[in-house]
PDB file of all heavy atoms in Angstrom:
ATOM      1  N   ARG A 165      -3.766  -6.660   3.938  1.00 97.00           N
ATOM      2  CA  ARG A 165      -2.826  -6.458   4.967  1.00 97.00           C
ATOM      3  C   ARG A 165      -3.002  -7.410   6.131  1.00 97.00           C
ATOM      4  O   ARG A 165      -2.115  -8.018   6.664  1.00 97.00           O
ATOM      5  CB  ARG A 165      -2.805  -5.018   5.437  1.00 97.00           C
ATOM      6  CG  ARG A 165      -1.559  -4.318   5.163  1.00 97.00           C
ATOM      7  CD  ARG A 165      -1.585  -2.932   5.634  1.00 97.00           C
ATOM      8  NE  ARG A 165      -1.515  -1.989   4.497  1.00 97.00           N
ATOM      9  CZ  ARG A 165      -2.461  -1.276   4.187  1.00 97.00           C
ATOM     10  NH1 ARG A 165      -3.652  -1.150   4.718  1.00 97.00           N
ATOM     11  NH2 ARG A 165      -2.330  -0.493   3.103  1.00 97.00           N
ATOM     12  N   LEU A 166      -4.275  -7.537   6.564  1.00 97.00           N
ATOM     13  CA  LEU A 166      -4.606  -8.351   7.722  1.00 97.00           C
ATOM     14  C   LEU A 166      -4.271  -9.778   7.426  1.00 97.00           C
ATOM     15  O   LEU A 166      -3.802 -10.574   8.331  1.00 97.00           O
ATOM     16  CB  LEU A 166      -6.027  -8.149   8.119  1.00 97.00           C
ATOM     17  CG  LEU A 166      -6.354  -6.845   8.792  1.00 97.00           C
ATOM     18  CD1 LEU A 166      -7.835  -6.645   9.104  1.00 97.00           C
ATOM     19  CD2 LEU A 166      -5.535  -6.672  10.070  1.00 97.00           C
ATOM     20  N   LYS A 167      -4.402 -10.252   6.129  1.00 97.00           N
ATOM     21  CA  LYS A 167      -4.166 -11.576   5.733  1.00 97.00           C
ATOM     22  C   LYS A 167      -2.711 -11.873   5.957  1.00 97.00           C
ATOM     23  O   LYS A 167      -2.210 -13.083   6.260  1.00 97.00           O
ATOM     24  CB  LYS A 167      -4.528 -11.779   4.260  1.00 97.00           C
ATOM     25  CG  LYS A 167      -5.229 -13.124   4.155  1.00 97.00           C
ATOM     26  CD  LYS A 167      -5.848 -13.125   2.705  1.00 97.00           C
ATOM     27  CE  LYS A 167      -5.141 -14.409   1.994  1.00 97.00           C
ATOM     28  NZ  LYS A 167      -5.368 -14.305   0.523  1.00 97.00           N
ATOM     29  N   ALA A 168      -1.801 -10.879   5.762  1.00 97.00           N
ATOM     30  CA  ALA A 168      -0.367 -11.057   5.843  1.00 97.00           C
ATOM     31  C   ALA A 168       0.106 -10.936   7.307  1.00 97.00           C
ATOM     32  O   ALA A 168       1.263 -11.373   7.547  1.00 97.00           O
ATOM     33  CB  ALA A 168       0.363 -10.004   5.010  1.00 97.00           C
ATOM     34  N   ALA A 169      -0.692 -10.516   8.215  1.00 98.00           N
ATOM     35  CA  ALA A 169      -0.329 -10.381   9.532  1.00 98.00           C
ATOM     36  C   ALA A 169       0.009 -11.524  10.409  1.00 98.00           C
ATOM     37  O   ALA A 169      -0.823 -12.471  10.330  1.00 98.00           O
ATOM     38  CB  ALA A 169      -1.315  -9.395  10.329  1.00 98.00           C
ATOM     39  N   ASP A 170       1.023 -11.462  11.156  1.00 98.00           N
ATOM     40  CA  ASP A 170       1.209 -12.411  12.243  1.00 98.00           C
ATOM     41  C   ASP A 170       0.640 -11.880  13.493  1.00 98.00           C
ATOM     42  O   ASP A 170       0.068 -12.525  14.412  1.00 98.00           O
ATOM     43  CB  ASP A 170       2.749 -12.775  12.442  1.00 98.00           C
ATOM     44  CG  ASP A 170       3.293 -13.482  11.231  1.00 98.00           C
ATOM     45  OD1 ASP A 170       2.944 -14.670  10.971  1.00 98.00           O
ATOM     46  OD2 ASP A 170       4.203 -12.856  10.498  1.00 98.00           O
ATOM     47  N   ASP A 171       0.871 -10.504  13.760  1.00 98.00           N
ATOM     48  CA  ASP A 171       0.374  -9.767  14.864  1.00 98.00           C
ATOM     49  C   ASP A 171      -0.287  -8.539  14.476  1.00 98.00           C
ATOM     50  O   ASP A 171       0.051  -8.049  13.313  1.00 98.00           O
ATOM     51  CB  ASP A 171       1.590  -9.504  15.846  1.00 98.00           C
ATOM     52  CG  ASP A 171       2.404 -10.676  16.154  1.00 98.00           C
ATOM     53  OD1 ASP A 171       1.848 -11.704  16.615  1.00 98.00           O
ATOM     54  OD2 ASP A 171       3.586 -10.720  15.833  1.00 98.00           O
ATOM     55  N   ILE A 172      -1.217  -8.087  15.202  1.00 98.00           N
ATOM     56  CA  ILE A 172      -2.057  -6.895  14.750  1.00 98.00           C
ATOM     57  C   ILE A 172      -2.042  -5.912  15.960  1.00 98.00           C
ATOM     58  O   ILE A 172      -2.230  -6.344  17.148  1.00 98.00           O
ATOM     59  CB  ILE A 172      -3.396  -7.319  14.479  1.00 98.00           C
ATOM     60  CG1 ILE A 172      -3.305  -8.152  13.095  1.00 98.00           C
ATOM     61  CG2 ILE A 172      -4.327  -6.039  14.116  1.00 98.00           C
ATOM     62  CD1 ILE A 172      -4.732  -8.925  12.875  1.00 98.00           C
ATOM     63  N   ILE A 173      -1.788  -4.684  15.694  1.00 98.00           N
ATOM     64  CA  ILE A 173      -2.090  -3.594  16.639  1.00 98.00           C
ATOM     65  C   ILE A 173      -3.369  -2.851  16.153  1.00 98.00           C
ATOM     66  O   ILE A 173      -3.322  -2.262  15.044  1.00 98.00           O
ATOM     67  CB  ILE A 173      -1.017  -2.593  16.896  1.00 98.00           C
ATOM     68  CG1 ILE A 173       0.205  -3.330  17.587  1.00 98.00           C
ATOM     69  CG2 ILE A 173      -1.326  -1.423  17.691  1.00 98.00           C
ATOM     70  CD1 ILE A 173       1.337  -2.387  17.886  1.00 98.00           C
ATOM     71  N   ASP A 174      -4.402  -2.936  16.929  1.00 97.00           N
ATOM     72  CA  ASP A 174      -5.633  -2.141  16.608  1.00 97.00           C
ATOM     73  C   ASP A 174      -5.427  -0.741  17.082  1.00 97.00           C
ATOM     74  O   ASP A 174      -5.434  -0.501  18.329  1.00 97.00           O
ATOM     75  CB  ASP A 174      -6.806  -2.914  17.323  1.00 97.00           C
ATOM     76  CG  ASP A 174      -8.158  -2.011  17.095  1.00 97.00           C
ATOM     77  OD1 ASP A 174      -8.099  -0.974  16.455  1.00 97.00           O
ATOM     78  OD2 ASP A 174      -9.190  -2.476  17.720  1.00 97.00           O
ATOM     79  N   ASN A 175      -5.276   0.207  16.169  1.00 98.00           N
ATOM     80  CA  ASN A 175      -5.065   1.591  16.545  1.00 98.00           C
ATOM     81  C   ASN A 175      -6.302   2.465  16.405  1.00 98.00           C
ATOM     82  O   ASN A 175      -6.190   3.671  16.122  1.00 98.00           O
ATOM     83  CB  ASN A 175      -3.889   2.190  15.747  1.00 98.00           C
ATOM     84  CG  ASN A 175      -3.409   3.466  16.315  1.00 98.00           C
ATOM     85  OD1 ASN A 175      -3.611   3.756  17.543  1.00 98.00           O
ATOM     86  ND2 ASN A 175      -2.773   4.290  15.485  1.00 98.00           N
ATOM     87  N   THR A 176      -7.462   1.867  16.571  1.00 97.00           N
ATOM     88  CA  THR A 176      -8.726   2.627  16.400  1.00 97.00           C
ATOM     89  C   THR A 176      -9.006   3.498  17.625  1.00 97.00           C
ATOM     90  O   THR A 176      -9.461   4.639  17.487  1.00 97.00           O
ATOM     91  CB  THR A 176      -9.893   1.563  16.379  1.00 97.00           C
ATOM     92  OG1 THR A 176      -9.691   0.660  15.306  1.00 97.00           O
ATOM     93  CG2 THR A 176     -11.164   2.284  16.078  1.00 97.00           C
ATOM     94  N   GLY A 177      -8.545   3.039  18.804  1.00 95.00           N
ATOM     95  CA  GLY A 177      -8.944   3.697  19.961  1.00 95.00           C
ATOM     96  C   GLY A 177      -8.023   4.752  20.456  1.00 95.00           C
ATOM     97  O   GLY A 177      -7.255   5.357  19.595  1.00 95.00           O
ATOM     98  N   ASP A 178      -8.057   5.017  21.708  1.00 96.00           N
ATOM     99  CA  ASP A 178      -7.321   6.106  22.305  1.00 96.00           C
ATOM    100  C   ASP A 178      -5.813   5.754  22.256  1.00 96.00           C
ATOM    101  O   ASP A 178      -5.374   4.686  22.569  1.00 96.00           O
ATOM    102  CB  ASP A 178      -7.682   6.160  23.885  1.00 96.00           C
ATOM    103  CG  ASP A 178      -7.110   7.292  24.666  1.00 96.00           C
ATOM    104  OD1 ASP A 178      -6.094   7.785  24.198  1.00 96.00           O
ATOM    105  OD2 ASP A 178      -7.678   7.703  25.585  1.00 96.00           O
ATOM    106  N   PRO A 179      -4.950   6.683  21.794  1.00 96.00           N
ATOM    107  CA  PRO A 179      -3.572   6.459  21.763  1.00 96.00           C
ATOM    108  C   PRO A 179      -2.921   6.074  23.038  1.00 96.00           C
ATOM    109  O   PRO A 179      -1.820   5.522  23.080  1.00 96.00           O
ATOM    110  CB  PRO A 179      -2.928   7.843  21.250  1.00 96.00           C
ATOM    111  CG  PRO A 179      -4.051   8.755  21.209  1.00 96.00           C
ATOM    112  CD  PRO A 179      -5.320   8.034  21.320  1.00 96.00           C
ATOM    113  N   ALA A 180      -3.538   6.496  24.134  1.00 97.00           N
ATOM    114  CA  ALA A 180      -3.087   6.173  25.466  1.00 97.00           C
ATOM    115  C   ALA A 180      -2.983   4.606  25.773  1.00 97.00           C
ATOM    116  O   ALA A 180      -2.355   4.189  26.640  1.00 97.00           O
ATOM    117  CB  ALA A 180      -3.897   6.818  26.495  1.00 97.00           C
ATOM    118  N   SER A 181      -3.791   3.799  24.936  1.00 96.00           N
ATOM    119  CA  SER A 181      -3.763   2.426  25.182  1.00 96.00           C
ATOM    120  C   SER A 181      -2.587   1.708  24.429  1.00 96.00           C
ATOM    121  O   SER A 181      -2.418   0.583  24.595  1.00 96.00           O
ATOM    122  CB  SER A 181      -5.060   1.833  24.687  1.00 96.00           C
ATOM    123  OG  SER A 181      -5.159   1.951  23.170  1.00 96.00           O
ATOM    124  N   LEU A 182      -1.839   2.505  23.550  1.00 98.00           N
ATOM    125  CA  LEU A 182      -0.823   1.902  22.748  1.00 98.00           C
ATOM    126  C   LEU A 182       0.411   1.421  23.601  1.00 98.00           C
ATOM    127  O   LEU A 182       0.845   0.311  23.328  1.00 98.00           O
ATOM    128  CB  LEU A 182      -0.288   2.830  21.730  1.00 98.00           C
ATOM    129  CG  LEU A 182      -1.211   3.007  20.419  1.00 98.00           C
ATOM    130  CD1 LEU A 182      -0.632   4.036  19.535  1.00 98.00           C
ATOM    131  CD2 LEU A 182      -1.355   1.705  19.716  1.00 98.00           C
ATOM    132  N   PRO A 183       0.892   2.204  24.519  1.00 98.00           N
ATOM    133  CA  PRO A 183       2.008   1.706  25.208  1.00 98.00           C
ATOM    134  C   PRO A 183       1.833   0.264  25.905  1.00 98.00           C
ATOM    135  O   PRO A 183       2.753  -0.531  25.779  1.00 98.00           O
ATOM    136  CB  PRO A 183       2.266   2.710  26.234  1.00 98.00           C
ATOM    137  CG  PRO A 183       1.696   3.977  25.738  1.00 98.00           C
ATOM    138  CD  PRO A 183       0.577   3.541  24.941  1.00 98.00           C
ATOM    139  N   ALA A 184       0.770   0.017  26.403  1.00 97.00           N
ATOM    140  CA  ALA A 184       0.516  -1.340  27.084  1.00 97.00           C
ATOM    141  C   ALA A 184       0.521  -2.425  25.993  1.00 97.00           C
ATOM    142  O   ALA A 184       1.122  -3.420  26.187  1.00 97.00           O
ATOM    143  CB  ALA A 184      -0.802  -1.307  27.851  1.00 97.00           C
ATOM    144  N   ARG A 185      -0.053  -2.208  24.889  1.00 98.00           N
ATOM    145  CA  ARG A 185      -0.173  -3.202  23.776  1.00 98.00           C
ATOM    146  C   ARG A 185       1.307  -3.363  23.259  1.00 98.00           C
ATOM    147  O   ARG A 185       1.608  -4.589  23.088  1.00 98.00           O
ATOM    148  CB  ARG A 185      -1.060  -2.625  22.719  1.00 98.00           C
ATOM    149  CG  ARG A 185      -1.114  -3.505  21.398  1.00 98.00           C
ATOM    150  CD  ARG A 185      -1.782  -4.806  21.683  1.00 98.00           C
ATOM    151  NE  ARG A 185      -1.916  -5.699  20.498  1.00 98.00           N
ATOM    152  CZ  ARG A 185      -1.389  -6.977  20.399  1.00 98.00           C
ATOM    153  NH1 ARG A 185      -0.976  -7.456  21.548  1.00 98.00           N
ATOM    154  NH2 ARG A 185      -1.472  -7.590  19.305  1.00 98.00           N
ATOM    155  N   VAL A 186       2.039  -2.261  23.120  1.00 98.00           N
ATOM    156  CA  VAL A 186       3.396  -2.383  22.579  1.00 98.00           C
ATOM    157  C   VAL A 186       4.302  -3.179  23.555  1.00 98.00           C
ATOM    158  O   VAL A 186       5.104  -4.023  23.228  1.00 98.00           O
ATOM    159  CB  VAL A 186       3.973  -1.021  22.328  1.00 98.00           C
ATOM    160  CG1 VAL A 186       5.430  -1.147  22.046  1.00 98.00           C
ATOM    161  CG2 VAL A 186       3.275  -0.426  21.045  1.00 98.00           C
ATOM    162  N   HIS A 187       4.005  -2.898  24.900  1.00 98.00           N
ATOM    163  CA  HIS A 187       4.821  -3.613  25.878  1.00 98.00           C
ATOM    164  C   HIS A 187       4.587  -5.106  25.794  1.00 98.00           C
ATOM    165  O   HIS A 187       5.480  -5.923  25.975  1.00 98.00           O
ATOM    166  CB  HIS A 187       4.412  -3.035  27.316  1.00 98.00           C
ATOM    167  CG  HIS A 187       5.654  -2.984  28.136  1.00 98.00           C
ATOM    168  ND1 HIS A 187       6.226  -4.222  28.711  1.00 98.00           N
ATOM    169  CD2 HIS A 187       6.400  -2.014  28.615  1.00 98.00           C
ATOM    170  CE1 HIS A 187       7.198  -3.874  29.387  1.00 98.00           C
ATOM    171  NE2 HIS A 187       7.452  -2.567  29.361  1.00 98.00           N
ATOM    172  N   THR A 188       3.288  -5.501  25.702  1.00 98.00           N
ATOM    173  CA  THR A 188       2.900  -6.926  25.585  1.00 98.00           C
ATOM    174  C   THR A 188       3.644  -7.534  24.489  1.00 98.00           C
ATOM    175  O   THR A 188       4.203  -8.675  24.538  1.00 98.00           O
ATOM    176  CB  THR A 188       1.392  -7.096  25.500  1.00 98.00           C
ATOM    177  OG1 THR A 188       0.785  -6.500  26.538  1.00 98.00           O
ATOM    178  CG2 THR A 188       1.031  -8.579  25.426  1.00 98.00           C
ATOM    179  N   LEU A 189       3.603  -6.879  23.276  1.00 98.00           N
ATOM    180  CA  LEU A 189       4.285  -7.504  22.086  1.00 98.00           C
ATOM    181  C   LEU A 189       5.821  -7.500  22.332  1.00 98.00           C
ATOM    182  O   LEU A 189       6.499  -8.368  21.900  1.00 98.00           O
ATOM    183  CB  LEU A 189       3.894  -6.538  20.835  1.00 98.00           C
ATOM    184  CG  LEU A 189       2.541  -6.858  20.219  1.00 98.00           C
ATOM    185  CD1 LEU A 189       2.215  -5.637  19.295  1.00 98.00           C
ATOM    186  CD2 LEU A 189       2.550  -8.235  19.586  1.00 98.00           C
ATOM    187  N   HIS A 190       6.386  -6.528  22.961  1.00 98.00           N
ATOM    188  CA  HIS A 190       7.802  -6.387  23.172  1.00 98.00           C
ATOM    189  C   HIS A 190       8.145  -7.658  24.035  1.00 98.00           C
ATOM    190  O   HIS A 190       9.196  -8.272  23.620  1.00 98.00           O
ATOM    191  CB  HIS A 190       8.082  -5.143  23.926  1.00 98.00           C
ATOM    192  CG  HIS A 190       9.560  -4.943  24.359  1.00 98.00           C
ATOM    193  ND1 HIS A 190      10.484  -4.870  23.540  1.00 98.00           N
ATOM    194  CD2 HIS A 190      10.042  -4.884  25.656  1.00 98.00           C
ATOM    195  CE1 HIS A 190      11.632  -4.741  24.195  1.00 98.00           C
ATOM    196  NE2 HIS A 190      11.444  -4.749  25.477  1.00 98.00           N
ATOM    197  N   ASP A 191       7.467  -7.939  25.045  1.00 98.00           N
ATOM    198  CA  ASP A 191       7.745  -9.056  25.904  1.00 98.00           C
ATOM    199  C   ASP A 191       7.664 -10.410  25.086  1.00 98.00           C
ATOM    200  O   ASP A 191       8.467 -11.288  25.228  1.00 98.00           O
ATOM    201  CB  ASP A 191       6.791  -9.242  27.103  1.00 98.00           C
ATOM    202  CG  ASP A 191       7.201  -8.150  28.146  1.00 98.00           C
ATOM    203  OD1 ASP A 191       8.255  -7.578  28.063  1.00 98.00           O
ATOM    204  OD2 ASP A 191       6.248  -7.843  28.968  1.00 98.00           O
ATOM    205  N   TYR A 192       6.704 -10.444  24.227  1.00 98.00           N
ATOM    206  CA  TYR A 192       6.425 -11.572  23.367  1.00 98.00           C
ATOM    207  C   TYR A 192       7.588 -11.796  22.399  1.00 98.00           C
ATOM    208  O   TYR A 192       8.173 -12.913  22.224  1.00 98.00           O
ATOM    209  CB  TYR A 192       5.121 -11.479  22.594  1.00 98.00           C
ATOM    210  CG  TYR A 192       4.838 -12.589  21.651  1.00 98.00           C
ATOM    211  CD1 TYR A 192       4.771 -13.888  22.090  1.00 98.00           C
ATOM    212  CD2 TYR A 192       4.519 -12.272  20.374  1.00 98.00           C
ATOM    213  CE1 TYR A 192       4.606 -14.967  21.169  1.00 98.00           C
ATOM    214  CE2 TYR A 192       4.204 -13.308  19.447  1.00 98.00           C
ATOM    215  CZ  TYR A 192       4.263 -14.567  19.874  1.00 98.00           C
ATOM    216  OH  TYR A 192       3.926 -15.642  18.920  1.00 98.00           O
ATOM    217  N   TYR A 193       8.086 -10.690  21.748  1.00 98.00           N
ATOM    218  CA  TYR A 193       9.106 -10.746  20.705  1.00 98.00           C
ATOM    219  C   TYR A 193      10.446 -11.140  21.456  1.00 98.00           C
ATOM    220  O   TYR A 193      11.276 -11.922  20.903  1.00 98.00           O
ATOM    221  CB  TYR A 193       9.270  -9.408  20.087  1.00 98.00           C
ATOM    222  CG  TYR A 193       8.022  -9.216  19.106  1.00 98.00           C
ATOM    223  CD1 TYR A 193       7.623  -7.847  18.818  1.00 98.00           C
ATOM    224  CD2 TYR A 193       7.381 -10.275  18.445  1.00 98.00           C
ATOM    225  CE1 TYR A 193       6.564  -7.639  18.006  1.00 98.00           C
ATOM    226  CE2 TYR A 193       6.272 -10.004  17.678  1.00 98.00           C
ATOM    227  CZ  TYR A 193       5.888  -8.558  17.427  1.00 98.00           C
ATOM    228  OH  TYR A 193       4.858  -8.402  16.555  1.00 98.00           O
TER     229      TYR A 193
END
Side-chain angles (χ1 to χ4, degrees):
R165 240 181 248 112
L166 288 175
K167 224 172 119 194
D170 294 295
D171 309 302
I172 296 165
I173 290 186
D174 174 3
N175 191 26
T176 305
D178 190 334
S181 67
L182 282 176
R185 175 73 181 124
V186 168
H187 215 290
T188 304
L189 281 166
H190 176 62
D191 287 342
Y192 177 54
Y193 293 149

